[in-house]
Amino acid sequence: MSLNGVLRLACSFLLVAGVVSISTKTASADEPKTTKVTIKGLELEIPAAWNSQPPANSMRLAQFLVPGATPEASAELVISSFGGAVDANLNRWAAQFAADGREVKVTRGKVPQGEYYLSDITGTFNQPVGPPMAGKTKAVPGTRSLSVMLLTPEKGTFFLKLTGPDATVKAAADDLRKTFGASAKDETPYTPQ
């Protein structure tokens, strides 16, 4: 089966299972085309250029490939939903980067779907290799991660994590915020405890 066939099959499974629904939004000439994606009640407007992929593991509700200047410069957006305190998640995300040279900026904001916290981290990412239980990682310098914890009052807590080369993630930062209706200008600084 071709890669396109596998992707169609995976998306069909998620649609039938009721986890993900997809519809395309028609854009005006000055507005980029987006695809409306609903994941467990969370509504997102994903840029049409971001390619849906089958989730790599059962903890992921959805994932997208965010194209970079070259295929090697692509980033990955992962969407998941589970619990945990705000500061515990922010600290966990920071710990995924080597302490030496790591830069972290955390902001918070509010959108119609709920309150959110956004962690912007640059440095050397300790990329997981192999099964999660093995705990093996590979150092990937020049990485940036934008991780969002979106607290929706009735649907639960969702995580949107965009990770990849610094330039690619930086270029996609505004689009990531737009997926859930946020804007950097409306955010305020937040310091994890």
Side-chain angles (χ1 to χ4, degrees):
M1 180 180 287
S2 71
L3 178 59
N4 283 338
V6 170
L7 290 174
R8 278 193 219 107
L9 181 63
C11 287
S12 296
F13 172 76
L14 292 172
L15 289 168
V16 170
V19 175
V20 176
S21 68
I22 300 173
S23 65
T24 302
K25 175 183 173 184
T26 305
S28 63
D30 61 337
E31 183 181 331
K33 188 175 180 182
T34 61
T35 300
K36 182 177 180 180
V37 177
T38 303
I39 304 169
K40 292 183 73 174
L42 176 68
E43 295 181 0
L44 302 172
E45 291 284 341
I46 303 291
W50 295 8
N51 301 310
S52 177
Q53 298 182 313
N57 62 54
S58 62
M59 293 186 68
R60 298 178 176 194
L61 298 174
Q63 72 183 52
F64 296 85
L65 180 70
V66 178
T70 65
E72 298 78 27
S74 295
E76 178 183 63
L77 171 64
V78 173
I79 301 165
S80 56
S81 177
F82 47 88
V86 172
D87 288 349
N89 281 294
L90 294 171
N91 291 329
R92 178 175 56 84
W93 291 329
Q96 292 172 345
F97 282 75
D100 189 31
R102 174 180 64 204
E103 293 182 25
V104 181
K105 177 183 174 187
V106 181
T107 55
R108 68 189 301 177
K110 189 164 178 106
V111 294
Q113 295 189 86
E115 183 178 16
Y116 70 92
Y117 298 82
L118 187 145
S119 172
D120 182 350
I121 307 172
T122 56
T124 299
F125 181 55
N126 296 316
Q127 181 179 16
V129 177
M133 296 307 221
K136 293 184 179 180
T137 62
K138 158 177 100 166
V140 183
T143 300
R144 185 176 209 141
S145 181
L146 296 176
S147 302
V148 177
M149 184 175 186
L150 177 58
L151 310 167
T152 65
E154 296 176 11
K155 298 169 190 132
T157 301
F158 291 90
F159 299 90
L160 292 80
K161 187 174 183 188
L162 177 62
T163 306
D166 187 7
T168 303
V169 173
K170 182 178 180 181
D174 287 340
D175 286 335
L176 174 66
R177 285 179 171 93
K178 288 177 188 175
T179 65
F180 62 99
S183 173
K185 67 179 178 57
D186 298 326
E187 295 172 358
T188 57
Y190 178 78
T191 304
Q193 305 304 311

